[in-house]
């Protein structure tokens, strides 16, 4: 007899173990959710909501950790940590749906978060292109049409080898041949300390290149910009993704992305490139990034942008 502790990464791994043991298929379906544990953190909810959550999870065999001040009423809100397995969370959803205080909406959000977390099928739909991001890692080739960016090709305007559009096209073709799945075109540096570029200059740098590349290559083009007019003209000329470092702060950008049914990269960033390194401060790094991106995604959904067209960028480079 041998005894060992098993750490399970996902349901597929657990299902395979049960199949190896020759568990009945019906039994596998029943037991899988019971064996997958999850910890769910929810920020800043009312004490009433938190206490109802705790009572309901306790009744299901789970639990909810809340601030001691929430139990005494010293503070009106609390963060909480839900502790349970997938079976318990499924039953929690059914119980909360019938509750007041917005608990029905909370149940929906918890269910959505769990489903997204377990999802391994990510299909990015971009006009006539479809990228299966769950199958393998995809590569974005970067073309910085600026004299002041991080990468070497950001100096293209100062180099006689690639100072023309034809030189840029040759560079993009090499990237494509080397395995790039997307090409990102940028006309304004976003490195820390970079100064803003006038609209006319950014259009002059990017749109002529996009017009030519659309006809020369057969992979999706992305425009790296936070200016709605640059995005509009890029999409008019064949780009299918807007890579917005400001995370859709501009309502006009949200409208353009939605209207063109384009893909969008929503990035988290503090301030602007010119000042982003001036004592950036976080009280809780991950939670603030999650909140920032969640708010931006909510605005995107409300504007009609489909979830299969959204990529998030935590802004690790900054």
């Amino acid at each position: 007899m041998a005894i060992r502790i098993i750490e399970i990464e996902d349901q597929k791994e657990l299902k395979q173990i049960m199949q190896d043991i020759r568990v009945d298929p019906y039994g596998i379906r029943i037991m899988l959710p019971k064996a997958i544990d999850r910890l769910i953190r929810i920020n800043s909810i009312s004490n009433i909501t938190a206490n109802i959550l705790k009572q309901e999870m306790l009744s299901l065999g789970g639990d909810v950790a809340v601030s001691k001040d929430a139990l005494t009423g010293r503070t009106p809100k609390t963060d909480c940590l839900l502790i349970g397995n997938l079976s318990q969370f499924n039953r929690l959803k059914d119980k909360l749906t019938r509750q007041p205080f917005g608990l029905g909406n909370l149940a929906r959000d918890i269910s959505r978060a769990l489903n997204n977390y377990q999802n391994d099928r990510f299909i990015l739909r971009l006009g006539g292109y479809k990228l299966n991001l769950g199958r393998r890692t995809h590569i974005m080739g970067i073309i910085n049409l600026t004299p002041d960016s991080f990468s070497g090709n950001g100096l293209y305007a100062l180099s006689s080898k690639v100072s023309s559009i034809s030189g840029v096209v040759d560079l993009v073709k090499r990237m494509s041949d080397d395995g790039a799945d997307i090409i990102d075109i940028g006309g304004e540096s976003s490195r820390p300390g970079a100064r803003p570029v006038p609209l006319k200059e950014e259009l002059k740098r990017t749109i002529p290149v996009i017009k030519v590349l659309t006809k020369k290559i057969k992979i999706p083009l992305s425009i790296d910009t936070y200016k709605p007019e640059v995005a509009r003209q890029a999409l008019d000329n064949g780009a299918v993704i807007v890579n917005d470092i400001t995370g859709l702060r501009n309502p006009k950008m949200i409208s353009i992305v939605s209207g063109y049914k384009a893909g969008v990269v929503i990035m988290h960033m503090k301030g602007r490139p010119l000042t982003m390194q001036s004592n950036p401060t976080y009280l809780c790094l991950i939670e603030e990034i999650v909140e920032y991106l969640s708010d931006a995604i909510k605005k995107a959904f409300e504007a009609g942008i489909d979830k299969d067209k959204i990529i998030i960028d935590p802004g690790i480079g900054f």
Side-chain angles (χ1 to χ4, degrees), residues 94-167:
D94 293 337
K95 297 185 77 171
L96 293 184
T97 300
R98 300 185 293 270
Q99 296 271 14
F101 308 112
L103 286 164
N105 291 334
L106 181 60
R108 179 203 61 204
D109 292 342
I110 292 173
S111 179
R112 178 185 293 162
L114 286 169
N115 290 335
N116 287 340
Y117 186 79
Q118 295 163 153
N119 184 24
D120 60 0
R121 288 179 53 82
F122 299 95
I123 307 297
L124 186 61
R125 303 181 191 278
L126 307 165
Y129 300 98
K130 184 172 73 171
L131 303 181
N132 187 344
L133 304 183
R135 183 170 297 171
R136 62 175 177 84
T137 298
H138 284 62
I139 298 171
M140 176 181 275
I142 307 299
I143 297 294
N144 289 322
L145 304 176
T146 62
D148 58 345
S149 291
F150 287 122
S151 66
N153 69 48
L155 302 176
Y156 93 99
L158 306 180
S159 168
S160 59
K161 293 182 180 179
V162 288
S163 60
S164 65
I165 290 180
S166 62

Side-chain angles (χ1 to χ4, degrees), residues 49-284:
T49 300
N51 286 321
I52 292 174
L53 279 176
K54 186 172 183 68
Q55 293 304 315
E56 295 291 8
M57 281 300 287
L58 284 170
S59 73
L60 295 169
D63 210 335
V64 176
V66 301
S67 165
K68 61 182 180 181
D69 291 333
L71 299 175
T72 62
R74 292 181 62 184
T75 58
K77 291 189 175 183
T78 180
D79 294 354
C80 62
L81 184 68
L82 280 66
I83 306 166
N85 59 44
L86 293 183
S87 177
Q88 290 163 340
F89 284 122
N90 286 334
R91 285 180 285 158
L92 177 68
K93 176 186 174 182
D94 293 337
K95 297 185 77 171
L96 293 184
T97 300
R98 300 185 293 270
Q99 296 271 14
F101 308 112
L103 286 164
N105 291 334
L106 181 60
R108 179 203 61 204
D109 292 342
I110 292 173
S111 179
R112 178 185 293 162
L114 286 169
N115 290 335
N116 287 340
Y117 186 79
Q118 295 163 153
N119 184 24
D120 60 0
R121 288 179 53 82
F122 299 95
I123 307 297
L124 186 61
R125 303 181 191 278
L126 307 165
Y129 300 98
K130 184 172 73 171
L131 303 181
N132 187 344
L133 304 183
R135 183 170 297 171
R136 62 175 177 84
T137 298
H138 284 62
I139 298 171
M140 176 181 275
I142 307 299
I143 297 294
N144 289 322
L145 304 176
T146 62
D148 58 345
S149 291
F150 287 122
S151 66
N153 69 48
L155 302 176
Y156 93 99
L158 306 180
S159 168
S160 59
K161 293 182 180 179
V162 288
S163 60
S164 65
I165 290 180
S166 62
V168 176
V169 171
D170 290 341
L171 179 58
V172 170
K173 284 183 176 179
R174 289 201 299 274
M175 287 183 173
S176 179
D177 291 342
D178 287 341
D181 301 286
I182 302 170
I183 298 296
D184 190 52
I185 310 294
E188 177 177 332
S189 176
S190 59
R191 64 173 176 78
R195 295 188 175 277
V197 172
L199 173 62
K200 288 185 178 181
E201 177 63 24
E202 189 176 345
L203 289 170
K204 179 182 176 182
R205 292 177 180 181
T206 57
I207 302 306
V209 172
I210 290 173
K211 286 181 178 179
V212 174
L213 287 178
T214 301
K215 300 173 184 177
K216 297 289 186 179
I217 66 169
K218 301 300 180 183
I219 57 178
L221 293 181
S222 165
I223 177 66
D224 182 347
T225 187
Y226 58 85
K227 297 184 179 76
E229 181 59 19
V230 176
R232 186 188 67 77
Q233 291 197 33
L235 294 171
D236 274 338
N237 286 284
V240 291
I241 304 173
V242 175
N243 186 0
D244 183 1
I245 65 168
T246 64
L248 296 181
R249 291 178 194 167
N250 191 326
K252 291 183 180 179
M253 183 67 89
I254 299 176
S255 178
I256 286 171
V257 171
S258 176
Y260 280 85
K261 299 187 183 303
V264 62
V265 181
I266 301 174
M267 194 184 89
H268 159 263
M269 179 177 67
K270 266 192 177 293
R272 300 285 180 176
L274 183 62
T275 60
M276 65 170 59
Q277 291 301 300
S278 299
N279 192 30
T281 303
Y282 293 87
L283 295 178
C284 187

Side-chain angles (χ1 to χ4, degrees), residues 20-56:
D20 293 343
I21 298 173
R22 301 176 62 84
V23 177
D24 181 80
Y26 177 77
I28 292 177
R29 289 198 302 272
I30 296 297
M31 287 184 283
L32 269 179
K34 297 179 180 179
I36 302 294
D37 294 317
R38 291 285 182 256
L39 297 175
I40 302 177
R41 178 166 179 164
I42 304 176
N43 290 343
S44 190
I45 61 174
S46 72
N47 290 344
I48 293 175
T49 300
N51 286 321
I52 292 174
L53 279 176
K54 186 172 183 68
Q55 293 304 315
E56 295 291 8

